[in-house]
Amino acid sequence: MASILVLNGPNLNLLGVREQGIYGSTTLQAILDACQRFADSCGFQIEHLQANAEHVLVDRIQQCAGSDTQGVVFNPAAFTHTSVALRDALLAVAIPFVEVHLSQPLARESFRHVSYFSDIALGTVSGFGADSYLLGLQALINHLDTDGTIPLAPLSA
Ligand code: DQA
C-alpha cells in the first residue's frame, strides 16, 4: 500500500507538555492518529518516526529510496535552522515533501527565520498548531494524486 512518512525532529516527542503556549496541548500521538484517519480516507498508510538525533533522521530519509513511501510530511524542528545533512538526504532520494511547523518561525527569534528546507519543499505549512500536519498531509496527497481520483476529504475527518 502506498504510504506517507510523517517525520519529526528533536523534542517533538514532548508535544503536549513542551511550551504549550507556543506548541499547544495536542500530543504527537494525537497528531499521528488524526493523520492516519485522514490518510485512511484517501487510501494511504502513515509511517512515522520521531528522532532527537540527526543521523537517525538521515538514515530514515535514505530508506525511502526504492520503497513504498511516496512522500514525507516533515517537521525538522530545531534542525530546520541548521541541517545541511538532512537537506542533502532529501535531495539525494528526491522524494516530494512538505515542511510543517506548529508555530510560525518567522514570527519568532531571528535564528528561526532561516530554513534549510523551504526552498526544496513542495511547500511549507506553519503557524496552525497541530492542524499544520493535516494541512500539509492534504496538500501532499493532492500533489501525489496526479490522476485526480482522490476526493478532497475534510481536514477534521
Ligand atoms: C518547530 C519550530 C522550530 O523553530 C523549533 O525548533 C521546534 C518546533 C515548530 O513546529 O514550530 O522544535 O519546528
Side-chain angles (χ1 to χ4, degrees):
M1 190 187 209
S3 64
I4 289 170
L5 174 64
V6 178
L7 190 60
N8 281 289
N11 300 306
L12 294 172
N13 53 313
L14 299 180
L15 287 180
V17 178
R18 168 193 190 204
E19 297 179 274
Q20 288 190 21
I22 296 174
Y23 299 116
S25 56
T26 308
T27 63
L28 183 56
Q29 188 57 55
I31 290 172
L32 294 171
D33 290 347
C35 286
Q36 184 60 70
R37 282 196 298 276
F38 180 77
D40 279 347
S41 70
C42 305
F44 283 85
Q45 190 175 320
I46 294 291
E47 303 170 90
H48 173 249
L49 176 72
Q50 185 279 326
N52 294 327
E54 191 175 29
H55 74 278
V56 176
L57 296 164
V58 169
D59 286 347
R60 186 65 188 86
I61 291 167
Q62 288 186 8
Q63 286 168 13
C64 291
S67 76
D68 287 340
T69 308
Q70 299 200 350
V72 184
V73 173
F74 189 22
N75 185 346
F79 291 140
T80 305
H81 319 297
T82 62
S83 185
V84 177
L86 287 167
R87 175 190 173 92
D88 284 352
L90 287 159
L91 289 171
V93 299
I95 192 161
F97 77 98
V98 175
E99 176 186 356
V100 300
H101 300 284
L102 297 122
S103 68
Q104 173 54 286
L106 290 174
R108 300 178 64 191
E109 304 97 317
S110 57
F111 64 83
R112 296 186 204 273
H113 296 182
V114 172
S115 167
Y116 281 73
F117 302 94
S118 297
D119 64 312
I120 60 167
L122 291 172
T124 301
V125 182
S126 58
F128 294 101
D131 278 350
S132 292
Y133 285 81
L134 283 168
L135 291 162
L137 179 62
Q138 179 170 10
L140 179 60
I141 288 175
N142 287 349
H143 172 82
L144 295 172
D145 179 31
T146 47
D147 54 5
T149 54
I150 301 174
L152 275 184
L155 288 171
S156 57

